Amino acid sequence: MKNTNMHIHSKYSWDCKTELEDIVKELIDSNIYYAGICDHIEFNCEASIYVLTKFKIRNLEIDELNEKYKGKIKLLKGVEISSPHLYPNKVESLKELDLDYIMGSIHKIDRKAKTEEEKRKGSIEYYKEVLKMVEANQVDVFGHIDYINRYYKQDYSDKEIIKEIFEMIKENNKIIELNTSASRRTDDLYISFPNLEKLAMYSGIKKEITIGTDAHKLEELNYMLDENSFIAKQLGLEPVIYEKRKMIKL
Ligand SMILES: [Zn+2]
Ligand SMILES: [Zn+2]
């Protein structure tokens, strides 16, 4: 089976400076074939026309690199939209970009919460937002479902809402990602987003996942990929990729 990393950021993300060709060279060295370039879209502060123009340019660059490195790597055109359910028309306008997949993620978290009570409240708000995003059913993959653990360093999630989220994802024939950045972002408290408990629950409901490192730097392109692939396999999870918004099993 060819190795995949479906969550990679490049200079086309606001918080990343890495050149696409440098990413390609590093991935080829790491023996990763399917590479999902999954740059941020922040519709709350990026104008739609800027987003469309920027991604047209990026996609041309991806086409050129796919041609230049044919047989060695296949770059896929992804985006990671923050809170897509708040911007239905703008998400719709991305159709002209011919994307391979769209990831939806919630990054809005009450980061000032300090006390147990504040964190519990923050957690309830966060998962309500995740549920709304899942209900809106606009995207293919849901990113780092319990990303809030990065900031709270403890899991305040309620099993019932997580189950509701996963069952709705299954009903809509969508999937989640297994994001390997958790250990570097939680001082090794969690191995993945979602954490083991949620991954195990997910595997009882749905099998397909994408695996990605959420790399913003070259040295993060391979981060905990083998370890998490092993764990996913033991849980019976199946890594997939997307092309032209269609899921492809590997
Ligand atoms: Zn994210
Ligand atoms: Zn990301």
Side-chain angles (χ1 to χ4, degrees):
M1 190 168 77
K2 285 175 168 147
N3 292 326
T4 72
N5 182 349
M6 289 294 282
H7 196 149
I8 298 166
H9 292 275
S10 76
K11 67 178 177 187
Y12 293 97
S13 293
W14 67 272
D15 58 352
C16 181
K17 291 195 166 66
T18 323
E19 291 289 337
L20 276 172
E21 189 157 12
D22 292 337
I23 292 172
V24 166
K25 288 176 184 163
E26 185 72 28
L27 288 171
I28 292 172
D29 281 348
S30 302
N31 202 25
I32 293 168
Y33 185 76
Y34 290 110
I37 307 301
C38 195
D39 287 304
H40 288 295
I41 296 181
E42 308 289 346
F43 281 129
N44 67 330
C45 59
E46 291 180 303
S48 246
I49 187 65
Y50 171 62
V51 168
L52 287 172
T53 311
K54 177 172 73 168
F55 280 98
K56 276 178 195 164
I57 293 169
R58 183 200 69 166
N59 289 351
L60 283 175
E61 198 180 338
I62 288 180
D63 288 340
E64 279 170 24
L65 289 167
N66 272 335
E67 198 48 45
K68 186 170 172 185
Y69 293 94
K70 211 174 191 165
K72 293 185 177 160
I73 194 163
K74 170 80 183 170
L75 300 177
L76 299 163
K77 297 166 186 161
V79 291
E80 179 184 20
I81 309 176
S82 291
S83 298
H85 56 294
L86 301 180
Y87 313 96
N89 296 334
K90 292 181 179 185
V91 173
E92 192 63 23
S93 75
L94 298 178
K95 278 205 171 128
E96 63 175 283
L97 289 178
D98 222 359
L99 293 167
D100 288 309
Y101 64 107
I102 299 180
M103 185 181 284
S105 301
I106 302 296
H107 296 106
K108 192 172 167 270
I109 290 159
D110 179 3
R111 295 176 195 185
K112 287 188 201 118
K114 282 203 174 62
T115 65
E116 283 280 299
E117 203 189 329
E118 284 166 346
K119 287 182 179 176
R120 277 186 202 287
K121 206 171 147 240
S123 178
I124 290 169
E125 290 306 315
Y126 172 81
Y127 287 107
K128 265 191 201 164
E129 231 27 60
V130 173
L131 185 61
K132 279 187 203 162
M133 170 176 72
V134 169
E135 276 169 344
N137 197 22
Q138 306 148 292
V139 307
D140 306 300
V141 183
F142 296 99
H144 48 62
I145 286 282
D146 60 5
Y147 194 55
I148 193 165
N149 286 350
R150 171 178 181 174
Y151 300 98
Y152 290 6
K153 305 280 189 324
Q154 192 178 327
D155 196 329
Y156 294 94
S157 66
D158 176 87
K159 265 192 189 149
E160 285 309 304
I161 193 159
I162 302 298
K163 195 159 173 255
E164 197 180 344
I165 288 167
F166 287 163
E167 288 193 332
M168 188 163 298
I169 288 174
K170 180 195 162 94
E171 205 178 301
N172 292 339
N173 206 21
K174 301 295 164 69
I175 66 168
I176 64 163
E177 73 154 345
L178 194 170
N179 185 309
T180 75
S181 74
S183 82
R184 72 172 188 261
R185 285 167 161 168
T186 65
D187 306 325
D188 240 5
L189 270 176
Y190 299 102
I191 191 158
S192 53
F193 300 124
N195 64 6
L196 177 61
E197 198 187 358
K198 294 188 201 72
L199 267 187
M201 189 202 278
Y202 181 79
S203 74
I205 295 171
K206 180 106 187 157
K207 298 290 177 215
E208 296 85 1
I209 45 156
T210 59
I211 296 189
T213 68
D214 215 341
H216 288 71
K217 298 173 188 159
L218 290 178
E219 58 269 30
E220 292 169 352
L221 284 166
N222 221 343
Y223 184 83
M224 295 285 274
L225 211 47
D226 290 345
E227 294 86 339
N228 274 287
S229 299
F230 177 80
I231 285 162
K233 198 174 170 193
Q234 303 321 303
L235 292 172
L237 294 166
E238 296 165 13
V240 299
I241 59 156
Y242 279 79
E243 270 190 279
K244 310 247 175 235
R245 310 278 318 263
K246 295 256 183 309
M247 186 199 292
I248 297 177
K249 298 193 180 189
L250 298 168

